[in-house]
Amino acid sequence: MEKKDRVILHSDLNNFFASVEIALNPELGGKPLIVCGDPKERRGVVLAKNEEAKKLGIKTAETVYSALKKCPDVQMVRAHHTEYVKFSKKVVEIYSRFTDQIEECSIDECALDMTESTFLFGSGFEIAEKIRKTVKEELGLTVSVGVSFNKVFAKLASELKKPDAVTEITRENYQKVVWNLPVKELLFVGHSTEETLHKLGIKTIGDLAHADEEMMNRFLGKRGRQLRVYARGEDEEPVKAVKEKTDLKSIGNSMTLPQNIFRFDDVKRWFYALAESVSARLKAADVGKANTVHIVVRNDKLQDTTCQMKVPPTTLCGDIAKAAYELYCKHFPESTLVRMLGITVSGFDYHIEQMSLDGLLDGTSGSYEKRERAESAIAKIREKYGYASMQRGVVMEDEKLNGLDIRGKKEETTTKLDGE
């Protein structure tokens, strides 16, 4: 009996941060808009933009200064990450009406296995259309959905037509649709890999599909063999449902700073702000306590340095920030000009039972349980009255950090800040 193809969807919310801002304030719609750090300062980077701004050539991760040169009248709004998380959860709730096999790839992208759902809701294309219309009607957001028989092609399909569209790559049409595309369009083909492939005479995804396997192994190793598998439509990686957490190896956040800093006190404040984010994500992931803290520091010459240390297992902001600051003081002189800071935690035990101002919160006094209860109480207050309702004294000393909700922020140096 012939094996039935899977039905995989990849959903990608269009211009997500900007779209949420317009959904919250419809008066912003119809005109160029960017989401950035502090509109009053008119600096920093563009975290997201709407379609009107995109048509003017404004790009995610470019400076606000550059965006203003392209469109002096562009609307600028501050990021509201708590709202983005809320909308993301609402979208996932819509997906869950059709399947429980949901892999959250990022705040605005999900892979969905609809193989069994087709018996109830129709074909993959029909389900994708229902999802697209429901998200638009209930939340005022648009989504591009790719439909295919594997995750890689579903992701690729979601990129082919934007915004607000459904595209299907089938077993019958994938060679015609996919193989003529530039090889850089394939998942995991970055700039350096593209250059290597071009030197081998591989310009399209079809070229890669027909490439000699031994040659791919010789020049790109295991990664080369895997890319060839993707190009041939042979990807069999399953959609990993939310409940499957054991593959999560680390949780972190980083931030390019508004301006270079060098004083230890300034570094400490930024580490506490970042640790708030990392701690919140760690608790939300429900993967247990972490026993290793890593930091990354980028200097004014854009050189990155990383270091790490073991810590007593923890989920607490105070513990994470204290370890990060200790690492920094040990490895960097105060004369270092810092452009970017990041914190990552790892070494999860997956067995924590989830239930700590300054003396308790900075990790210098009180039992772990007391500090944990204090942080849990503060989280509940923030959830009800807003993130800025309670702030750490060490953070409030810097006006740029006062009230800044960094928890949902995506660092502009990562692959993607916000969906197109």
Side-chain angles (χ1 to χ4, degrees):
M1 184 175 178
E2 186 177 348
K3 182 180 178 181
K4 179 184 176 182
D5 272 336
R6 294 181 296 160
V7 178
I8 307 298
L9 273 56
H10 187 97
S11 65
D12 187 353
L13 292 160
N14 306 132
N15 308 313
F16 179 51
F17 293 176
S19 296
V20 171
E21 296 296 339
I22 294 170
L24 293 171
N25 184 3
E27 293 181 359
L28 297 173
K31 294 173 287 186
L33 175 142
I34 61 174
V35 180
C36 50
D38 188 348
K40 293 181 181 179
E41 292 190 10
R42 291 177 165 244
R43 61 186 182 186
V45 298
V46 175
L47 302 177
K49 77 282 183 192
N50 65 353
E51 283 296 317
E52 288 77 9
K54 182 179 179 180
K55 290 176 182 177
L56 295 173
I58 295 175
K59 299 179 180 179
T60 300
E62 76 171 290
T63 63
V64 171
Y65 176 78
S66 173
L68 286 169
K69 290 177 68 176
K70 296 174 180 177
C71 180
D73 298 325
V74 68
Q75 302 176 102
M76 295 183 290
V77 296
R78 180 191 288 273
H80 298 93
H81 297 285
T82 301
E83 294 297 332
Y84 308 151
V85 172
K86 289 180 181 177
F87 270 80
S88 178
K89 290 180 179 178
K90 290 177 181 178
V91 173
V92 172
E93 189 279 323
I94 290 174
Y95 299 158
S96 69
R97 300 174 194 175
F98 298 89
T99 182
D100 61 353
Q101 298 300 301
I102 303 171
E103 179 179 342
E104 296 181 42
C105 307
S106 69
I107 196 171
D108 58 354
E109 290 189 61
C110 287
L112 315 164
D113 190 331
M114 295 290 179
T115 307
E116 302 301 324
S117 304
T118 57
F119 296 105
L120 295 174
F121 303 108
S123 68
F125 188 91
E126 290 171 332
I127 295 173
E129 275 291 340
K130 290 175 183 177
I131 286 174
R132 184 188 65 81
K133 292 177 181 177
T134 304
V135 170
K136 193 172 186 177
E137 291 170 0
E138 294 188 11
L139 303 177
L141 306 179
T142 62
V143 59
S144 293
V145 186
V147 185
S148 194
F149 53 92
N150 63 54
K151 289 171 65 175
V152 170
F153 281 179
K155 164 69 173 172
L156 180 58
S158 73
E159 300 284 343
L160 293 179
K161 193 184 298 183
K162 291 186 174 184
D164 195 20
V166 174
T167 306
E168 185 171 22
I169 296 176
T170 66
R171 183 74 68 178
E172 291 71 34
N173 73 8
Y174 80 90
Q175 295 182 15
K176 180 180 179 180
V177 174
V178 175
W179 281 4
N180 289 325
L181 295 174
V183 71
K184 67 179 180 180
E185 299 298 325
L186 189 66
L187 189 65
F188 301 124
V189 176
H191 180 67
S192 60
T193 301
E194 180 190 13
E195 288 186 340
T196 301
L197 292 172
H198 281 185
K199 290 177 182 177
L200 298 174
I202 298 172
K203 302 294 180 64
T204 67
I205 296 177
D207 294 338
L208 179 57
H210 292 97
D212 181 72
E213 186 173 359
E214 291 186 7
M215 179 186 71
M216 295 299 298
N217 183 54
R218 184 164 66 253
F219 286 95
L220 287 169
K222 181 179 179 182
R223 182 160 55 99
R225 297 197 305 273
Q226 190 62 53
L227 290 175
R228 182 176 178 273
V229 167
Y230 291 160
R232 294 168 65 87
E234 297 170 352
D235 168 44
E236 295 185 355
E237 182 183 0
V239 170
K240 299 174 184 176
V242 175
K243 59 187 177 183
E244 299 177 44
K245 303 171 185 172
T246 55
D247 285 340
L248 189 60
K249 303 300 182 184
S250 64
I251 293 172
N253 200 4
S254 59
M255 171 75 78
T256 295
L257 309 180
Q259 60 189 35
N260 294 343
I261 61 175
F262 62 91
R263 294 186 179 90
F264 280 154
D265 285 347
D266 290 333
V267 171
K268 183 177 183 179
R269 279 188 281 272
W270 278 100
F271 271 141
Y272 268 91
L274 286 164
E276 291 271 18
S277 165
V278 175
S279 174
R281 293 179 178 183
L282 178 57
K283 292 168 184 173
D286 192 25
V287 293
K289 298 177 182 178
N291 66 15
T292 307
V293 173
H294 317 248
I295 66 170
V296 57
V297 178
R298 177 173 300 156
N299 64 20
D300 59 322
K301 296 181 177 59
L302 303 183
Q303 298 169 326
D304 290 354
T305 303
T306 59
C307 44
Q308 66 183 57
M309 67 183 294
K310 290 287 187 180
V311 297
T314 186
T315 64
L316 304 185
C317 168
D319 294 344
I320 295 168
K322 181 181 178 184
Y325 181 59
E326 184 178 326
L327 273 169
Y328 183 87
C329 293
K330 180 179 179 180
H331 293 281
F332 299 91
E334 192 163 14
S335 59
T336 303
L337 289 175
V338 179
R339 178 72 179 120
M340 183 270 283
L341 289 171
I343 299 177
T344 300
V345 295
S346 62
F348 309 134
D349 60 24
Y350 289 93
H351 297 298
I352 190 169
E353 183 178 326
Q354 290 289 357
M355 307 208 284
S356 20
L357 147 201
D358 275 338
L360 291 175
L361 290 176
D362 64 9
T364 59
S365 65
S367 68
Y368 182 92
E369 290 74 16
K370 287 182 179 179
R371 290 183 288 121
E372 185 178 35
R373 287 196 296 271
E375 286 200 3
S376 178
I378 287 173
K380 291 179 181 178
I381 292 172
R382 285 172 168 169
E383 183 177 350
K384 185 173 182 179
Y385 297 106
Y387 182 82
S389 62
M390 293 199 73
Q391 294 285 294
R392 296 171 186 272
V394 65
V395 171
M396 290 185 70
E397 292 173 7
D398 189 330
E399 291 183 358
K400 293 183 178 64
L401 287 170
N402 192 0
L404 174 64
D405 182 358
I406 202 172
R407 293 168 300 168
K409 193 169 188 62
K410 286 186 176 180
E411 163 56 29
E412 56 263 35
T413 57
T414 57
T415 304
K416 186 176 181 184
L417 284 166
D418 182 22
E420 296 297 331

